[in-house]
Amino acid sequence: ASPSPPPPSAPPSTLHILLPLYIYPQAVPGPGGTLNCSSSEWLAVADAGPGVTTIINPSSGPVNATTSAEGPAYMACMRVLRDAGVRMLGYVPTKESFEESPGFWVQTDFRDASEVDAMVALWAAEPFGSLLEGIFLDEASNMWSHNSFNTSDEHVAYYRARFASVRSARPGWTVAANSGSPPYYSMLDAATGGADLIVAFEQNATKWDPAWPALGSYPRPKCLDLIRTDARSQGAHPPGPWCPYCYNWDGVDAVVSAAAGGSSGSAFGALVYAANNGAGAVPAQAAAAGFSYIYVTDAPFESPWSALPSYWCDLLSAAGLPPSSSCPPLVSVATSAAWLASRSAESASAATAGSLVSYDPPAGTAGSWWRDRAYAYDQAAAAVALLLHGDAQLQPTVEAILQGVSAALVWEQDASIAAAPFYWDVTSGAASATRFTGAHAWV
């Protein structure tokens, strides 16, 4: 398993998850001709509740809810999110662009204002309008966009006009804009027509913290290593959303100060992808920088929003959100230790020490049945697997712990049948010869 980043300090209490839910929903027929959402990812998000804000993107923008092939499934799953208190923002692109290489897009001009406003209007119309709480304007300009086309004033004017269009289409809606890096300061302050929420970081985890892929090596890369040589004397920001920029040089100081001091009139968000070591300290670092929306995923640069992160449950916990009902109950060391204490003193000691991944008690001790414990969040089946080696007496205990959770119990009786294990489906109470293949994200 990959090493984990240093643990964060106490989880921030004001963070929200900002999730680009660019996953096509699935729905199955229900009674009376209705459709029921059956997408495991969407249901897992619904279980997470009001601490999550999602970005809904059917087809690089909205679709017609009644005439499009995707519309009915989207409506069914969006209603589930609404009923769970999950906030939703409709996706709208704002630039003309082309994909130069996989995942790398080059912006060439503003998208025609009438086209953008028409997409906003489609989202605002029923049945979508009453489900959404705002619009997510993607591809918004950052403070260097005028180096590519138009002037800085024209960039600001274009987006302030789009913000006004959103607020006119549905009064009270949230206006979110994704500049991906520091925005023009004049795009801030919702009270004067700026955005309610600005995503000021959408980049690879190595831009958040250059040490990310080399956590076990020394010397570790630093934010200073991202800065051009002739500017390094100015110093660098700590790991976090401003890591790639330096003081008194890149022109980001006013935005950095406003975010940290809460004086910008806009909330700040960050989207971090290719973070294959878990959420780590990112939520705490985001909160320290004045950010209130965060998302971290191990999905790659080429398709970062195509699936939930393998550590979705841990991300919720790291952001200080209440546990989701679809997450395994044995996630934390503290919870695991309490359960293990009822089984053996040796196991409790190991759990308290955080040695849950490879604990092998001495043969003949009270805990000799225990060799390995891990949980897995399966993106395809939204299932939780508790990997156990030991005797069948554990089955009632595990089923009680997993009560109400759609889960699979991976059961290997002993080494003699390890090559052909069977799997106990907690929800059906039946054994299955099909190997549970989707397990990952081992703790």
Side-chain angles (χ1 to χ4, degrees):
S2 301
S4 297
S9 56
S13 59
T14 57
L15 281 181
H16 305 269
I17 300 297
L18 180 63
L19 168 63
L21 190 56
Y22 301 175
I23 302 170
Y24 284 112
Q26 302 293 324
V28 295
T34 61
L35 280 180
N36 294 330
C37 181
S38 60
S39 288
S40 57
E41 294 96 339
W42 284 67
L43 296 175
V45 172
D47 284 340
V52 178
T53 295
T54 59
I55 305 161
I56 308 299
N57 184 14
S59 183
S60 294
V63 295
N64 188 295
T66 55
T67 62
S68 67
E70 310 97 323
Y74 266 96
M75 291 304 305
C77 289
M78 287 175 70
R79 289 190 180 105
V80 170
L81 294 190
R82 178 201 59 192
D83 293 344
V86 175
R87 302 180 71 222
M88 291 173 279
L89 306 175
Y91 177 93
V92 173
T94 62
K95 291 274 176 54
E96 299 290 347
S97 59
F98 66 93
E99 192 171 19
E100 187 174 67
S101 59
F104 184 79
W105 291 80
V106 177
Q107 299 174 0
T108 58
D109 203 351
F110 299 122
R111 192 176 289 262
D112 188 88
S114 62
E115 182 182 354
V116 174
D117 292 348
M119 284 189 272
V120 171
L122 183 55
W123 277 126
E126 295 300 341
F128 285 128
S130 58
L131 295 174
L132 296 176
E133 294 196 32
I135 294 294
F136 183 84
L137 296 169
D138 198 17
E139 305 166 329
S141 299
N142 62 47
M143 63 170 54
W144 301 287
S145 292
H146 58 275
N147 293 327
S148 299
F149 59 90
N150 292 71
T151 67
S152 57
D153 287 345
E154 288 170 323
H155 281 271
V156 171
Y158 175 86
Y159 281 98
R160 282 195 159 247
R162 305 287 71 71
F163 300 165
S165 175
V166 171
R167 292 181 172 117
S168 175
R170 201 91 180 186
W173 259 8
T174 294
V175 176
N178 178 22
S179 58
S181 52
Y184 291 111
Y185 194 90
S186 301
M187 288 170 60
L188 303 175
D189 193 6
T192 62
D196 295 289
L197 167 63
I198 284 280
V199 175
F201 185 100
E202 184 191 358
Q203 299 189 62
N204 191 294
T206 56
K207 297 293 186 181
W208 185 277
D209 183 355
W212 204 284
L215 291 168
S217 64
Y218 294 90
R220 294 178 179 175
K222 300 179 176 64
C223 291
L224 193 65
D225 298 324
L226 298 178
I227 298 172
R228 49 187 294 176
T229 305
D230 54 355
R232 290 181 181 175
S233 61
Q234 302 295 324
H237 293 276
W242 316 122
C243 177
Y245 314 106
C246 66
Y247 297 99
N248 306 316
W249 189 280
D250 290 317
V252 303
D253 303 270
V255 173
V256 172
S257 297
S263 60
S264 69
S266 301
F268 281 78
L271 305 175
V272 185
Y273 52 79
N276 56 6
N277 301 109
V282 172
Q285 291 164 340
F291 281 51
S292 51
Y293 289 82
I294 185 71
Y295 183 64
V296 191
T297 181
D298 51 357
F301 166 73
E302 293 80 7
S303 55
W305 322 128
S306 58
L308 294 180
S310 62
Y311 43 80
W312 169 249
C313 294
D314 290 336
L315 176 60
L316 297 177
S317 177
L321 299 180
S324 165
S325 62
S326 63
C327 291
L330 298 180
V331 173
S332 71
V333 169
T335 304
S336 298
W339 180 66
L340 291 173
S342 68
R343 301 295 302 180
S344 74
E346 300 96 319
S347 296
S349 176
T352 302
S355 179
L356 295 178
V357 174
S358 57
Y359 175 50
D360 195 358
T365 67
S368 59
W369 53 267
W370 184 267
R371 293 181 184 171
D372 195 14
R373 178 276 204 203
Y375 83 88
Y377 176 75
D378 184 90
Q379 289 178 227
V384 177
L386 189 62
L387 177 60
L388 298 171
H389 300 262
D391 62 59
Q393 294 177 0
L394 288 176
Q395 180 180 324
T397 303
V398 172
E399 289 187 359
I401 291 172
L402 296 179
Q403 183 177 7
V405 178
S406 175
L409 179 60
V410 184
W411 198 268
E412 299 187 21
Q413 296 274 42
D414 54 47
S416 65
I417 65 166
F422 68 91
Y423 301 87
W424 187 272
D425 185 337
V426 174
T427 57
S428 67
S432 169
T434 304
R435 191 173 181 85
F436 188 86
T437 57
H440 52 71
W442 305 111
V443 172

